């Protein structure tokens, strides 16, 4: 399929650009307007035997499918159906750095495609990538507990050409969480975040394995409200709130105008009297004995 834009692919005249980034940006913008996605196929920084830097730009559908399975021998079971976007597209551009300043020259080796142009770019892995600015914005919104669907809407409102999908947003959020954990376990990450946000925290662990079995934490602001309204407590447990399936005990206080506020939380290994006694004993330790509530409502 011949290009629709009037550029060097038709005139045969090489184009000169002031930098490598400008060359790549121009090529991608032109091809995107025509319904194609361009990727960097090869890149050589030069420096060996006075070799000049150069690169090759190709269509995302160039090349052919490569079987990456270690054992490629046929199996008795029916082979899984697979698909590939690779169709050996011949489109190829070559860029080379000139001797003058930081100028680059672009030469069209083949300016045609063997597949139709795309009408929409959603689903194209490279076209749907997030830029550095979009990734930073996604991280900030993720920290603010913005839902992934709302993040995608905001990104598309900021850039009409954005071709990201929900899968792109989920993958970016997952990479951020993995990088934030930095190899720490989920419990280590939780204890670290409690310390960073200045929570008051107590925990007890098994003597033999040093595994945390009960964890109690409360924010100082919640404790200030507790001292102001210490008359009634509501206690309730929820389940399946984390990968370890520990019950989450939530302790809620009631103000003088019947408004509720969270006092403290506790992950308990079991819903037994010993676990409840431990949690209430910690809460009693941060309160005056005379102000400990006379009414406690639980789900038990």
């Amino acid at each position: 399929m011949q290009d629709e834009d009037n550029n060097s692919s038709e005139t045969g005249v090489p184009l000169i650009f002031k930098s490598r980034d400008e060359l790549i940006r121009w090529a991608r913008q032109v091809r995107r307007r025509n319904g194609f996605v361009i990727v960097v196929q090869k890149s050589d920084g030069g420096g060996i035997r006075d070799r000049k830097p150069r690169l090759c730009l190709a269509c995302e559908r160039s090349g052919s499918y490569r079987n990456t399975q270690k054992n490629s021998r046929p199996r008795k079971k029916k082979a899984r159906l697979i698909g590939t976007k690779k169709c050996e597209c011949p489109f190829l551009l070559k860029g080379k750095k000139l001797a003058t300043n930081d100028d680059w020259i672009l030469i069209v080796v083949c300016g045609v495609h063997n597949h139709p142009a795309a009408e929409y770019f959603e689903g194209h892995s490279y076209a749907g990538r997030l830029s550095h600015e979009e990734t930073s914005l996604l991280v900030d919104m993720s920290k603010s507990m913005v839902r992934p669907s709302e993040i995608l809407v905001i990104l598309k409102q900021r850039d009409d050409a954005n071709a990201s999908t929900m899968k792109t947003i989920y993958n970016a959020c997952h990479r951020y969480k993995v990088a934030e954990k930095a190899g720490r376990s989920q419990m280590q990450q939780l204890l670290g975040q409690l310390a960073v946000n200045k929570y008051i925290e107590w925990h007890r662990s098994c003597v033999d394995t040093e595994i945390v079995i009960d964890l109690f934490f409360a924010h100082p602001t919640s404790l200030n409200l507790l001292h102001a309204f210490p008359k009634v407590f509501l206690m309730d447990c929820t389940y399946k709130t984390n990968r370890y399936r520990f019950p989450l005990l939530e302790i809620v206080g009631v103000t003088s105008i019947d408004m509720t506020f969270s006092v403290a939380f506790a992950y308990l290994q079991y819903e037994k009297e010993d676990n409840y006694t431990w949690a209430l004993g910690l809460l009693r330790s941060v309160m005056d004995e005379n102000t400990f509530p006379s009414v406690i409502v639980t789900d038990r």
Side-chain angles (χ1 to χ4, degrees):
M1 180 174 294
Q2 186 66 34
D3 298 341
E4 298 177 0
D5 56 301
N6 185 17
N7 53 32
S8 59
S9 63
E10 296 181 359
T11 61
V13 179
L15 299 179
I16 307 298
F17 299 90
K18 295 182 179 180
S19 65
R20 178 181 182 274
D21 293 338
E22 183 181 345
L23 183 152
I24 297 175
R25 182 168 56 253
W26 178 88
R28 286 175 175 169
Q29 289 176 351
V30 172
R31 306 313 302 174
R32 187 182 181 91
R33 290 199 301 267
N34 293 331
F36 302 100
V37 179
I38 300 300
V39 298
V40 178
Q41 187 182 56
K42 296 180 182 179
S43 181
D44 184 2
I48 302 177
R49 296 181 181 179
D50 297 332
R51 184 181 178 90
K52 295 182 180 179
R54 60 190 66 196
L55 60 85
C56 294
L57 301 176
C59 176
E60 67 169 351
R61 302 188 65 177
S62 63
S64 58
Y65 170 74
R66 294 181 300 173
N67 189 357
T68 57
Q69 293 182 356
K70 294 182 179 180
N71 186 5
S72 59
R73 291 180 299 178
R75 300 179 179 179
K76 295 182 180 180
K77 296 182 179 179
K78 184 178 179 180
R80 181 170 58 92
L81 296 178
I82 57 176
T84 176
K85 63 183 177 182
K86 303 294 184 180
C87 63
E88 299 183 355
C89 180
F91 181 84
L92 183 62
L93 305 176
K94 287 188 176 181
K96 183 178 180 181
K97 188 177 184 301
L98 300 178
T100 58
N101 300 325
D102 195 23
D103 293 343
W104 282 69
I105 185 173
L106 177 65
I107 302 174
V108 179
V109 178
C110 180
V112 296
H113 297 265
N114 63 353
H115 57 90
E119 185 177 359
Y120 304 102
F121 287 99
E122 280 76 10
H124 291 255
S125 57
Y126 193 88
R129 286 184 177 182
L130 300 177
S131 64
H132 179 72
E133 293 76 12
E134 290 174 334
T135 303
S136 300
L137 179 61
L138 180 144
V139 171
D140 293 338
M141 289 189 291
S142 180
K143 290 180 179 179
S144 301
M145 305 301 293
V146 180
R147 292 184 298 179
S149 58
E150 296 177 357
I151 294 177
L152 182 61
V153 171
I154 294 174
L155 293 179
K156 289 188 176 293
Q157 289 176 348
R158 290 169 57 92
D159 183 9
D160 296 336
N162 184 285
S164 302
T165 60
M166 283 301 304
K167 185 64 175 178
T168 307
I169 304 301
Y170 285 130
N171 289 342
C173 292
H174 176 70
R175 286 193 297 269
Y176 160 69
K177 291 179 180 179
V178 171
E180 186 182 34
K181 288 175 65 175
R184 296 187 294 267
S185 66
Q186 192 170 14
M187 183 59 69
Q188 291 173 332
Q189 178 69 7
L190 174 59
L191 294 176
Q193 289 298 316
L194 292 177
V196 170
N197 293 280
K198 300 180 180 179
Y199 274 76
I200 298 175
E201 173 265 327
W202 291 278
H203 67 272
R204 58 179 182 174
S205 58
C206 180
V207 179
D208 298 330
T209 61
E210 295 186 357
I211 296 177
V212 176
I213 57 177
D214 292 309
L215 173 65
F216 178 94
F217 55 94
H219 197 273
T221 303
S222 299
L223 296 181
N224 292 335
L225 288 172
L226 173 63
H227 285 88
F229 306 102
K231 298 303 180 183
V232 179
F233 278 173
L234 304 176
M235 300 174 59
D236 189 14
C237 264
T238 57
Y239 304 88
K240 296 184 179 180
T241 56
N242 56 86
R243 64 179 297 183
Y244 301 108
R245 299 295 188 263
F246 278 8
L248 175 63
L249 173 64
E250 182 179 7
I251 303 175
V252 178
V254 181
T255 66
S256 58
I257 56 175
D258 294 335
M259 298 291 290
T260 59
F261 63 94
S262 296
V263 177
F265 301 90
Y267 282 116
L268 305 178
Q269 185 181 24
Y270 304 109
E271 273 198 281
K272 295 182 178 180
E273 183 177 353
D274 175 64
N275 303 92
Y276 276 93
T277 303
W278 176 80
L280 289 178
L282 293 175
L283 191 60
R284 188 188 298 270
S285 65
V286 297
M287 297 180 61
D288 187 359
E289 186 69 24
N290 297 327
T291 60
F292 197 74
S294 56
V295 179
I296 300 179
V297 181
T298 70
D299 63 338
R300 300 186 68 185

